[in-house]
Amino acid sequence: MTLTTQKLTFKEYLEYSNGTDTRYELVKGELVPMSLGTGKHGELADALNFIFRQEIKNQNLNWVSKQMIIGVRSPRGGKLHTSRIPDVVVIPELQWQSLQNREAVIDLGEPPPLLVVEVVSPSTRNTDYRLKVAEYDVLNIPEYWIVDPQEEKVTIFTLATLPDEGFQEPEIFTGEMKLRSTTFPNLELTPLQMFNYA
């Protein structure tokens, strides 16, 4: 559901306020309110954020993992502006510090996040599996996870090794298959553990 018929620029989006706590993504210049999702959706995002923070700490990395507070601007639609708010974003700590005194949106031309996660809701299935794959691919985000609680599977897209090749064919993980992450190569996690944890 879109909110406005008037197209907003990215700058207008950053300055937009309607006096409520509703958060919006900007899609082709239109405000799209973000639904809360199910409790399971929030639990999965929270669990992954916790797991990533533990991995960052265990590997002594200068990264941060943030849940639903960092936007990612996309060049989707040519001149029409798009900015997404992934469920979980992993970025370098220095990049997080650079967002402290401005809107927490990674703009075009800035280094992309190291990893983004979208947890699928019935209302976001098409967006997460199709539109966001294309948007995150264009931004050269190294790793994109789609966590699907309805099908109890995790789909992981990673960038190809050759420049400008985009995402490789995704890997799909179910049950007790160990997830393979290029961002967190030491991660010991299966979809079964993840879905039982949340």
Side-chain angles (χ1 to χ4, degrees):
M1 173 181 80
T2 57
L3 183 69
T4 60
T5 54
Q6 175 188 344
K7 304 288 186 187
L8 298 181
T9 66
F10 183 66
K11 184 176 186 297
E12 289 169 333
Y13 164 68
L14 293 179
E15 296 170 352
Y16 179 81
S17 173
N18 65 358
T20 70
D21 291 335
T22 304
R23 290 202 289 178
Y24 298 92
E25 289 186 328
L26 184 69
V27 181
K28 294 188 194 177
E30 296 180 353
L31 293 175
V32 178
M34 294 183 64
S35 63
L36 288 176
T38 64
K40 184 77 165 178
H41 181 283
E43 284 294 322
L44 283 166
D46 191 47
L48 282 170
N49 191 43
F50 176 79
I51 289 165
F52 292 161
R53 287 177 174 198
Q54 287 300 114
E55 281 298 304
I56 288 167
K57 182 179 177 184
N58 292 344
Q59 295 182 44
N60 198 28
L61 300 168
N62 291 321
W63 298 349
V64 296
S65 179
K66 299 294 178 181
Q67 182 180 345
M68 296 180 68
I69 61 171
I70 297 176
V72 180
R73 186 175 178 194
S74 166
R76 178 175 180 246
K79 294 183 179 180
L80 299 176
H81 304 281
T82 296
S83 183
R84 300 293 189 178
I85 304 173
D87 290 307
V88 182
V89 176
V90 176
I91 61 173
E93 191 171 346
L94 281 176
Q95 189 172 18
W96 173 241
Q97 289 172 5
S98 76
L99 297 173
Q100 296 305 297
N101 296 314
R102 64 180 176 98
E103 293 291 332
V105 177
I106 298 171
D107 206 346
L108 299 173
E110 295 181 330
L114 302 168
L115 183 150
V116 294
V117 175
E118 297 289 0
V119 179
V120 177
S121 295
S123 63
T124 66
R125 177 168 295 282
N126 185 54
T127 301
D128 293 337
Y129 276 103
R130 291 177 182 249
L131 302 178
K132 290 182 183 179
V133 170
E135 291 168 18
Y136 295 156
D137 187 13
V138 151
L139 292 171
N140 289 321
I141 293 174
E143 191 166 346
Y144 171 38
W145 290 24
I146 302 173
V147 177
D148 192 332
Q150 289 85 39
E151 296 187 15
E152 294 199 346
K153 70 178 183 179
V154 178
T155 304
I156 298 180
F157 291 85
T158 55
L159 283 180
T161 52
L162 296 174
D164 301 321
E165 288 286 315
F167 282 143
Q168 304 179 87
E169 281 297 309
E171 287 191 83
I172 299 172
F173 301 89
T174 59
E176 296 186 15
M177 297 170 67
K178 181 184 165 196
L179 299 176
R180 279 194 294 275
S181 168
T182 55
T183 307
F184 296 111
N186 298 327
L187 183 66
E188 295 287 336
L189 183 65
T190 69
L192 185 63
Q193 291 170 323
M194 181 192 310
F195 294 117
N196 286 339
Y197 183 86

